[in-house]
Amino acid sequence: MARKEVPSLVKDEKLIQKRRGEMVKAAVNLFKENGFHRTTTREIAKASGFSIGTLYEYIRSKEDILYLVCDSIYEGVREKLNEQIGMTEGSIDHVKKAIAVYFNVVDEMQDEVLVMYQEVKSLSREALPYVLKKELEMTEIFEELIKQTVEQGELDLCEEEVKLLAHNILVHGQMWTFRRWSLRKEYSLEEYTKMQTHLLLNGVKNKSFT
């Protein structure tokens, strides 16, 4: 599925990325406080330090900004995982490192993650399938690492369990954002990552049930 193109009247790609990054940052704060539907493009422009005319040089609608918020999360996670995790060899250590990298990205982008899941329903029929596909692609990164680890004999999982473990990793990372009001009172990010990694992997290293 092709990436949704957000038209811009500006031709300088570096400037487009810079200005859209500023818009995304401003919009996330406004969406978090007021919700997507109650936030206006004029408010986003003001919070970004632009005139409304300048804003429309880079996007067509408020929905374009929400799409850019969603896309920035997935691209951020994918890039960090590809940069820091070797995908050519699977091992328990690789899986643990991937979990830590993912949890850290979610922590860094926690407001974006929260807004995305609260407001993704507001995306158009054109944009929503792409965003959902990106979610599955993130899951597949973990799925591939886990499969390689199974092939190395470090995990004993069937195909269905591999898929479910990959989904569980994503959900547990997102939980750090959704329940941060409670979890941050009990754990640091490092403690949370260590405990969740243990809970996710300790029970699957050796099967003890049928």
Side-chain angles (χ1 to χ4, degrees):
M1 183 176 296
R3 186 173 186 171
K4 177 180 179 292
E5 292 298 326
V6 178
S8 171
L9 299 177
V10 178
K11 302 304 179 184
D12 186 330
E13 192 61 34
K14 288 185 178 180
L15 184 59
I16 292 173
Q17 295 302 317
K18 181 176 184 293
R19 292 289 184 254
R20 285 180 173 174
E22 292 166 347
M23 292 175 192
V24 164
K25 185 176 180 180
V28 163
N29 290 329
L30 289 167
F31 292 162
K32 185 177 66 172
E33 292 174 8
N34 306 324
F36 175 77
H37 292 292
R38 286 182 292 180
T39 299
T40 66
T41 50
R42 190 170 297 278
E43 289 171 330
I44 294 170
K46 182 178 180 181
S48 304
F50 308 140
S51 68
I52 190 68
T54 298
L55 184 82
Y56 282 118
E57 290 179 0
Y58 295 92
I59 53 101
R60 296 172 305 175
S61 66
K62 186 172 60 172
E63 191 228 39
D64 281 349
I65 300 177
L66 180 57
Y67 167 80
L68 292 171
V69 170
C70 297
D71 197 53
S72 69
I73 295 168
Y74 295 126
E75 288 303 308
V77 170
R78 184 186 60 80
E79 287 174 10
K80 285 289 180 68
L81 286 173
N82 287 338
E83 285 172 9
Q84 300 187 40
I85 307 298
M87 301 299 290
T88 58
E89 181 181 349
S91 69
I92 285 291
D93 287 341
H94 275 75
V95 174
K96 288 179 178 179
K97 186 175 181 182
I99 292 171
V101 169
Y102 170 60
F103 282 20
N104 271 282
V105 173
V106 170
D107 181 64
E108 291 170 3
M109 304 184 75
Q110 57 188 275
D111 287 341
E112 289 90 336
V113 171
L114 187 63
V115 164
M116 182 190 70
Y117 279 97
Q118 286 177 336
E119 304 295 349
V120 69
K121 61 185 180 295
S122 300
L123 287 171
S124 69
R125 290 182 179 180
E126 176 190 6
L128 183 58
Y130 171 81
V131 169
L132 296 178
K133 183 175 182 293
K134 298 295 284 187
E135 174 95 354
L136 291 177
E137 287 177 1
M138 280 202 302
T139 309
E140 288 168 0
I141 291 174
F142 284 101
E143 191 176 325
E144 182 59 30
L145 274 174
I146 297 164
K147 281 182 181 178
Q148 292 174 6
T149 306
V150 170
E151 291 170 1
Q152 295 293 323
E154 294 192 49
L155 287 174
D156 181 16
L157 298 170
C158 67
E159 184 177 350
E160 291 80 5
E161 290 169 330
V162 168
K163 291 179 180 292
L164 187 57
L165 178 57
H167 281 287
N168 279 341
I169 290 170
L170 254 71
V171 170
H172 281 76
Q174 293 158 357
M175 188 169 75
W176 179 248
T177 291
F178 300 147
R179 294 190 60 80
R180 60 187 180 182
W181 58 272
S182 176
L183 292 171
R184 289 175 180 275
K185 296 176 183 177
E186 303 291 336
Y187 315 104
S188 66
L189 176 60
E190 183 178 357
E191 291 169 338
Y192 178 81
T193 301
K194 183 177 180 180
M195 292 180 70
Q196 288 289 19
T197 301
H198 174 77
L199 290 171
L200 285 162
L201 298 179
N202 190 61
V204 297
K205 289 180 71 173
N206 295 292
K207 289 184 177 178
S208 58
F209 60 90
T210 58

